[in-house]
Structure formats: structure tokens, C-alpha cells
Amino acid sequence: MFLVGLTGGIASGKSSVIQVFQQLGCAVIDVDVIARHVVQPGYPAHRRIVEAFGTEVLLENGDINRKVLGDLIFNQPDRRHLLNTITHPEIRKEMMKETFKYFLRGYRYVILDIPLLFETKKLLKYMKHTVVVYCDRDTQLARLMQRNNLNREDAEARIEAQLPLKDKARMARHVLDNSGEWSSTKRQVILLHAELERSLEYLPLRLGVLTGLVGLASLLYLLTHYLLPSP
């Protein structure tokens, strides 16, 4: 099995593309969902965040107040780095747990929905394929203004706050162009899924695991056959 990192930008259509992959039966892991999960009360990251930033980052019910925490690390690289050192290892552990579940179920590949895939680069080394859901700037702006009921200035500010889609497209192995009709985008998703399904890149890991299991079974046989007393 191999991992496919999928990203996009605001109003690029990433969520709609993911829905198509899911309809095709693909395994999808949302890293943002995992990031929210690992900071819930009772988890190690939650305790360490409170120790590092104080109880003022907590809501009345004990959950992390994401807005307050975001304000604390805003324009403070040291604090942002501290938060990342707390959360990123926990996110990776949960990500690998979810991935292993899909591996056991026989999936050839797993899609990881990672909004900041190219910005942080933390998870890039784990990805065999990278996919960007792209649309041109004018289309992105028009969709964002309509979807969020924003004026042009506010919409442009939100787009400018992100890494440009054209830059992400240059770094990605696959680009799904969502600038035009949705039927065209959907056709691109179906073709990419077929390409990934045909890929044999999942074989080395699966063969390695099978070889390991065979070796373990052989070892257990030798131990029981030669070391344990006969009845």
C-alpha cells in the first residue's frame, strides 16, 4: 500500500474531489480531523498544551479553545514551533494507525487530505504521490466571493494568505484542474483513481510484510518443533 497526499486551496474544490474519491470506494484520511482529535481532553497532547500555554487556552468544558490558542501563537514562531512539537508526533501516530487499518483491509492506496502539505512539508516524505486540486485565480476568486458572500477585497485577502495554487501545482505529481465544468473535474478524478489502482507500487510493502510473517511462522515452528519437549 502507498500514500497519496491530496491538497488544494480555498474554494478550489478539494472537498468535492474527495467526495468523488470516497464514492469510488477510496480510503481517505482527513489530517485536520486527526489534529482536532489528538488535542481532546484525556490525550497526551491536550495535557502538554495546557502545561505549555496555561489554562487560559481551555473552554469551560475542558476542550482547547482553538481561537485563543491561535491568537497566542500568531506571529510568534517560537510558540508555534512549541505547539507543533507537541501535536505533530501525535498526529503522525494517529495517521499511521488509521493507515495500518486500511492496509489490513487490503486497500492499495490511502488518500491523506492535508491542507498544508507543501507549506509545512512535514508529511511529504511519506507520500508516494501528491495531488493538487487546482483552479485559476479568477475562478477561485469568483467562487469564494459567491460561496462566502465576500466582497472582492476580503476574498483576495483570504487567497493571498495561502500559498498560491499555481505554486502547489508545480510541486505536485498530479494536478486535477477544477477551473472548468464539474463533469470534466470528475472525469479527471476517475482517471487518476484508475491509474493509482493499476499501480504496482503497493507490492513492495505488502510483499515485505508477507515475507516477515512467513519468517515469523517459520521461527515459531522451529521453536515448537525442536525446543519444546515431545508429548
Side-chain angles (χ1 to χ4, degrees):
M1 188 184 71
F2 56 90
L3 301 181
V4 178
L6 187 145
T7 192
I10 189 168
S12 70
K14 176 170 68 73
S15 297
S16 298
V17 164
I18 286 174
Q19 288 179 0
V20 177
F21 275 116
Q22 290 173 324
Q23 290 166 2
L24 293 169
C26 300
V28 178
I29 297 174
D30 188 330
V31 175
D32 266 358
V33 171
I34 292 177
R36 291 192 292 269
H37 176 74
V38 300
V39 298
Q40 289 180 336
Y43 285 82
H46 180 278
R47 174 180 52 78
R48 292 184 60 198
I49 288 172
V50 175
E51 290 174 352
F53 297 95
T55 55
E56 63 265 29
V57 300
L58 294 179
L59 296 167
E60 290 185 3
N61 65 358
D63 287 345
I64 298 293
N65 189 324
R66 296 170 66 87
K67 183 182 185 307
V68 170
L69 184 58
D71 290 341
L72 283 176
I73 67 172
F74 185 70
N75 283 337
Q76 297 195 52
D78 291 344
R79 283 195 158 191
R80 183 180 294 108
H81 177 72
L82 175 59
L83 179 62
N84 289 341
T85 60
I86 292 171
T87 58
H88 285 180
E90 300 299 322
I91 291 170
R92 282 195 292 270
K93 283 194 291 187
E94 289 297 318
M95 183 186 79
M96 291 306 168
K97 284 181 187 176
E98 292 298 312
T99 301
F100 188 63
K101 290 178 185 177
Y102 286 120
F103 171 80
L104 293 177
R105 292 167 61 183
Y107 283 85
R108 293 193 173 191
Y109 72 92
V110 174
I111 296 171
L112 279 85
D113 175 6
I114 310 174
L116 300 179
L117 176 64
F118 293 112
E119 289 85 340
T120 65
K121 296 181 171 62
K122 295 290 185 181
L123 298 175
L124 268 177
K125 61 183 177 182
Y126 301 108
M127 304 300 133
K128 180 69 72 172
H129 293 258
T130 52
V131 182
V132 164
V133 181
Y134 169 86
C135 66
D136 62 70
R137 173 63 181 264
D138 290 341
T139 301
Q140 185 182 23
L141 182 62
R143 287 174 179 168
L144 181 57
M145 291 172 62
Q146 181 178 19
R147 188 190 74 181
N148 291 32
N149 195 27
L150 297 174
N151 60 43
R152 186 181 187 89
E153 183 180 356
D154 289 342
E156 286 182 336
R158 294 198 182 191
I159 293 174
E160 289 295 333
Q162 298 185 341
L163 183 67
L165 278 172
K166 61 181 181 181
D167 292 346
K168 294 184 181 183
R170 281 197 293 265
M171 291 184 279
R173 182 168 176 179
H174 307 279
V175 177
L176 298 172
D177 190 346
N178 190 33
S179 302
E181 296 293 327
W182 172 242
S183 59
S184 172
T185 305
K186 188 174 182 179
R187 184 161 54 250
Q188 293 174 61
V189 177
I190 293 171
L191 290 174
L192 177 57
H193 169 60
E195 177 184 339
L196 295 174
E197 277 287 292
R198 288 195 303 269
S199 171
L200 298 180
E201 290 170 308
Y202 73 97
L203 281 177
L205 177 59
R206 197 164 292 277
L207 289 173
V209 171
L210 289 174
T211 301
L213 290 174
V214 170
L216 180 60
S218 300
L219 178 60
L220 289 174
Y221 171 79
L222 291 173
L223 287 173
T224 55
H225 189 73
Y226 292 105
L227 298 182
L228 294 181
S230 300

